[in-house]
Amino acid sequence: MTKSSITIMISQLPKLLLDKQRLAIYFCSLFVLLSFVALYSVLHQNWLSIYISELRNISIFTLLFSLTASFVYKKISPLYVLVIALCLMAISLAMHAFYLNNQQNPIYLLLMIHFVFILDLAYAVPAMITCIAINSGIQNRGMATSLYTSILFIGASLG
């Protein structure tokens, strides 16, 4: 790769980042992994830490549902899947707060809420990648996806 091709790629970043169609997806990607990592950080410092292994087992199993995302996209648009997943993630994340505040709720409900949160995460990430690919021209698709990945990892680091 030559210096001029790197310069061209860097000069395309502001255009890709500020594109209205992708900007919302970039913003959402920042908070998707941020909320996931932050949730586990809070759980470790709370009375719920005794359930971390059960929650992680649910997470590992549930993240495998991301493998079915392409089948879902044949029935429902990836953008609709993303919107639904983000809304349900926000609701289930808020419901986690009832447990963090020492509310007397049954533990099986926490496990179900966590399953919903991780399931939505499992569908949101591939939906964002698909939406980025759909909204990018062929010449910018790789760069747009790389930018999305960088923002996703920044969100995970901030969490």
Side-chain angles (χ1 to χ4, degrees):
M1 190 176 294
T2 65
K3 183 177 179 179
S4 63
S5 61
I6 293 173
T7 307
I8 292 170
M9 287 182 353
I10 291 173
S11 68
Q12 292 175 348
L13 281 176
K15 179 184 171 194
L16 290 172
L17 185 61
L18 298 175
D19 181 82
K20 290 179 183 180
Q21 292 180 331
R22 291 185 294 264
L23 185 61
I25 297 170
Y26 290 145
F27 185 71
C28 291
S29 69
L30 180 69
F31 289 100
V32 165
L33 278 189
L34 185 146
S35 63
F36 177 69
V37 174
L39 175 65
Y40 274 95
S41 297
V42 170
L43 288 173
H44 273 290
Q45 300 170 359
N46 200 289
W47 69 274
L48 292 171
S49 62
I50 59 174
Y51 298 108
I52 290 290
S53 63
E54 288 88 352
L55 295 172
R56 282 195 174 145
N57 289 338
I58 288 171
S59 297
I60 291 168
F61 169 75
T62 309
L63 285 171
L64 294 175
F65 278 89
S66 65
L67 299 172
T68 65
S70 65
F71 299 110
V72 173
Y73 300 156
K74 291 178 184 174
K75 302 287 183 188
I76 306 171
S77 164
L79 184 60
Y80 291 134
V81 172
L82 178 59
V83 169
I84 292 167
L86 291 174
C87 289
L88 289 174
M89 276 183 76
I91 291 168
S92 60
L93 192 61
M95 292 176 79
H96 275 86
F98 289 112
Y99 286 91
L100 297 174
N101 293 327
N102 291 326
Q103 300 289 329
Q104 298 299 326
N105 295 316
I107 197 64
Y108 71 87
L109 191 58
L110 172 67
L111 299 177
M112 288 175 33
I113 292 167
H114 198 68
F115 175 83
V116 170
F117 179 75
I118 301 301
L119 182 67
D120 295 323
L121 175 77
Y123 282 116
V125 172
M128 285 187 274
I129 293 170
T130 304
C131 289
I132 292 291
I134 289 170
N135 292 325
S136 301
I138 292 175
Q139 69 278 6
N140 292 331
R141 191 168 291 159
M143 190 72 161
T145 305
S146 297
L147 183 59
Y148 155 79
T149 305
S150 297
I151 293 170
L152 190 71
F153 289 148
I154 290 169
S157 298
L158 292 174

